[in-house]
Amino acid sequence: MGHKRSWHTAVVHFTVTVIMITMVISYVHASVNVGTTSAEASSSSNATNVYPRNSDIHHIQRSDVEEALDIIDAAWSRSLGDDCVSTVGYKSLPVALDPKRFDDSRRKIDMSAIMLQNLGSMGHTNNLLDAVARSILTSITNAVATRVIILNASTNIIIDETWMKRTLDVMEEPVKLESDTLRVGYRPYEGFPWFQIANDTNSHLRSAKFKQPFAADSYRGWWTFPYLSCKTHQWLMSYNIYVRKADYPHSTTLDYLSVDIDISGLEINQCDLSASKSSDDVDETFNNQMESFRGSHKCDKDTTQCEYRGQANRKKSDIYQLSVAPGWVKGAYICRCRIGFYSVDATNTIGNEPPGFDGTLVEAAWTEMRSNKSDLYHKVFKCIKCAIGCVTCKGPEPCLATYNWPFREKIPKFRILYKGIEIQLLLKFEID
Ligand SMILES: *[C@@H]1O[C@H](CO)[C@@H](O)[C@H](O)[C@H]1NC(C)=O
Ligand SMILES: *[C@@H]1O[C@H](CO)[C@@H](O)[C@H](O)[C@H]1NC(C)=O
Ligand SMILES: *[C@@H]1O[C@H](CO)[C@@H](O)[C@H](O)[C@H]1NC(C)=O
Ligand SMILES: *[C@@H]1O[C@H](CO)[C@@H](O)[C@H](O)[C@H]1NC(C)=O
């Protein structure tokens, strides 16, 4: 009988031990998961770099965005030399900007065009052209230059023109500009980003220089792509209208109205749209930011998170003092380690903030990686997962033993539970 009982006891002991181990393992799993799910959840979005494709941005190509970023970088470091010379002092970006933010300005320019149209051939006194140009300049926010050009409709030779400019931030009257590139008796220079000879009788400007308007838009004119004026170092965008005369098609002249808007005050935020804060402050904060560049950061999406460093959050020394466009800079972000990841290489640790990599360095490494020059990008700019059981960490040390107090407290409870079950089962067999 004693022999049988000890056999029973062994079986019960074995079963209970298996139950016990299973429980402990599942508990460890559960407690470890608490530490990692938050990091996994935030990185569960598509790991590929997908550019925003909302209805505002047409067919935006990643290669175009990269090219634009390179131009912006060269403009920032003033190394656009040859480009600026070969394009008569202008350098266009291959990426369009949603012109919706300039709708108020656009309406005013459209209205001036209607006025010129209704004046017909009467409107060809130079004083009147000056007055139109001046009123546009002074009534439109950030308008820095206006041109009104009267062209011979059959030869495109300039019959009359006025080109006015003003300096923002200075309470200064607009001044008239004389330029060799825009002279009576000649055709306008076609290298201007803002000019294109109309090729058909309807004056439709299907040119690569202009952003194709949306079907729903009823603009009278055409927006250019953003471009840099090498001379003034301003980023500009122009709105241009071919004004058809009221007496068209008998009119032998065409009016061309062109207005430059200074967009140097905009900012390049390369972080993902979803990485932003609440949707409430979207309008306020993003008013200033160009949507085309969203999602073009080079942070490792699995282990780091892009954090925009706006002008306000940047170090003074980082902002080139003479720059008129401090927001037009590539790499103005930090790739911060995600929760549950650490890096001993990363800098920019302020207080308790997780470490991060400077976006400028990440961009440079990415460029080198793309041109097969180095693999630093893959080696350095990633964070490392914390040891099992750590919610956060500053290094590879395990933190299970030190920090997981709830888990440690559970162990004696398991032991008591285990003993209880064992005793009950043994008693049951004893009675049998
Ligand atoms: C993104 O994720 C969704 C599901 O979460 C998937 O259907 C889609 O194919 C993914 N896209 C890419 C580009 O990976
Ligand atoms: C336009 O040019 C043609 C050809 O040179 C000329 O005959 C015509 O008079 C010009 N029209 C105007 C309005 O100057
Ligand atoms: C006008 O544009 C069409 C295509 O858009 C082109 O084939 C044609 O040669 C152009 N005409 C002139 C005079 O430039
Ligand atoms: C880099 O190397 C890959 C494969 O070796 C090659 O396909 C690619 O063209 C190279 N890129 C450059 C810019 O040299």
Side-chain angles (χ1 to χ4, degrees):
M1 230 15 206
H3 164 79
K4 202 182 173 191
R5 196 183 303 150
S6 70
W7 182 80
H8 265 161
T9 312
V11 167
V12 169
H13 201 101
F14 175 75
T15 316
V16 171
T17 308
V18 167
I19 293 170
M20 166 83 183
I21 288 169
T22 315
M23 283 167 86
V24 169
I25 286 173
S26 54
Y27 180 76
V28 167
H29 254 268
S31 65
V32 165
N33 278 349
V34 170
T36 53
T37 38
S38 61
E40 268 157 21
S42 49
S43 66
S44 66
S45 56
N46 287 4
T48 45
N49 221 350
V50 182
Y51 283 90
R53 284 190 191 275
N54 58 41
S55 56
D56 293 337
I57 309 156
H58 272 225
H59 314 301
I60 184 160
Q61 300 274 334
R62 178 164 187 157
S63 55
D64 286 345
V65 173
E66 287 310 325
E67 191 188 331
L69 285 170
D70 286 343
I71 295 171
I72 289 164
D73 202 35
W76 175 262
S77 55
R78 311 218 171 187
S79 54
L80 263 177
D82 284 353
D83 266 330
C84 273
V85 171
S86 63
T87 56
V88 273
Y90 301 102
K91 181 70 187 171
S92 290
L93 293 185
V95 171
L97 182 56
D98 183 5
K100 221 178 278 151
R101 69 181 83 226
F102 306 117
D103 261 2
D104 284 346
S105 308
R106 202 245 322 143
R107 269 185 224 110
K108 283 182 193 162
I109 304 168
D110 280 352
M111 257 160 57
S112 306
I114 294 171
M115 196 188 75
L116 278 174
Q117 181 179 9
N118 291 335
L119 283 170
S121 306
M122 289 179 345
H124 283 175
T125 70
N126 206 277
N127 281 346
L128 189 106
L129 300 190
D130 285 0
V132 170
R134 186 173 289 116
S135 74
I136 288 176
L137 269 185
T138 47
S139 68
I140 291 175
T141 326
N142 292 339
V144 288
T146 304
R147 305 161 205 97
V148 190
I149 309 168
I150 317 288
L151 299 163
N152 182 325
S154 54
T155 61
N156 286 306
I157 285 174
I158 302 172
I159 298 169
D160 202 355
E161 55 85 20
T162 189
W163 184 344
M164 287 204 154
K165 62 160 192 165
R166 72 161 170 167
T167 315
L168 295 176
D169 308 325
V170 182
M171 295 303 283
E172 187 186 79
E173 276 293 291
V175 291
K176 233 174 144 163
L177 197 76
E178 304 291 337
S179 171
D180 281 349
T181 46
L182 198 70
R183 276 167 70 189
V184 172
Y186 295 85
R187 284 180 169 203
Y189 178 66
E190 284 210 66
F192 286 130
W194 46 263
F195 185 78
Q196 177 71 52
I197 283 176
N199 135 334
D200 60 26
T201 45
N202 286 327
S203 308
H204 282 157
L205 294 176
R206 298 240 166 255
S207 160
K209 287 180 184 178
F210 302 112
K211 180 184 181 301
Q212 293 305 302
F214 304 109
D217 292 341
S218 54
Y219 297 178
R220 300 187 147 252
W222 300 75
W223 283 104
T224 64
F225 288 79
Y227 63 92
L228 177 82
S229 161
C230 301
K231 206 166 147 194
T232 62
H233 230 78
Q234 280 168 311
W235 285 98
L236 304 169
M237 213 161 102
S238 305
Y239 184 66
N240 310 286
I241 308 178
Y242 260 111
V243 183
R244 246 184 297 167
K245 290 302 165 63
D247 46 356
Y248 187 86
H250 301 295
S251 166
T252 52
T253 61
L254 269 174
D255 293 359
Y256 194 80
L257 181 59
S258 166
V259 180
D260 294 351
I261 311 278
D262 187 336
I263 53 170
S264 305
L266 299 182
E267 293 176 37
I268 312 262
N269 181 347
Q270 295 178 247
C271 293
D272 298 312
L273 262 177
S274 54
S276 64
K277 293 140 209 154
S278 79
S279 56
D280 285 344
D281 55 19
V282 161
D283 281 344
E284 192 114 333
T285 336
F286 297 166
N287 240 348
N288 230 12
Q289 299 177 354
M290 280 170 283
E291 44 302 296
S292 319
F293 295 96
R294 285 313 200 114
S296 65
H297 67 86
K298 311 295 178 315
C299 294
D300 176 55
K301 292 219 171 180
D302 294 331
T303 69
T304 67
Q305 199 158 21
C306 181
E307 189 181 296
Y308 179 56
R309 266 198 312 167
Q311 295 169 53
N313 305 333
R314 247 179 287 154
K315 278 180 276 162
K316 268 266 166 55
S317 57
D318 285 358
I319 300 179
Y320 196 34
Q321 293 300 310
L322 295 174
S323 179
V324 290
W328 286 73
V329 55
K330 174 171 144 178
Y333 57 85
I334 293 173
C335 300
R336 245 187 233 300
C337 289
R338 287 182 182 273
I339 294 168
F341 291 84
Y342 75 94
S343 170
V344 285
D345 301 325
T347 50
N348 292 306
T349 315
I350 307 155
N352 285 329
E353 281 189 324
F357 304 102
D358 188 299
T360 322
L361 300 178
V362 178
E363 289 279 348
W366 188 83
T367 306
E368 293 226 310
M369 184 265 293
R370 288 291 296 256
S371 54
N372 294 342
K373 275 191 202 139
S374 91
D375 57 353
L376 225 57
Y377 177 74
H378 289 304
K379 279 187 180 156
V380 177
F381 299 104
K382 275 184 178 166
C383 296
I384 303 156
K385 207 169 169 60
C386 295
I388 284 180
C390 306
V391 177
T392 62
C393 64
K394 288 195 156 70
E397 304 79 24
C399 28
L400 183 69
T402 340
Y403 297 115
N404 214 326
W405 286 114
F407 174 67
R408 299 199 102 199
E409 280 164 10
K410 287 277 161 60
I411 290 175
K413 283 183 199 152
F414 271 120
R415 223 172 258 152
I416 294 162
L417 190 67
Y418 168 78
K419 283 284 171 216
I421 293 169
E422 199 178 38
I423 289 162
Q424 268 181 20
L425 287 173
L426 279 177
L427 282 174
K428 195 165 176 283
F429 278 105
E430 207 76 43
I431 289 159
D432 287 347

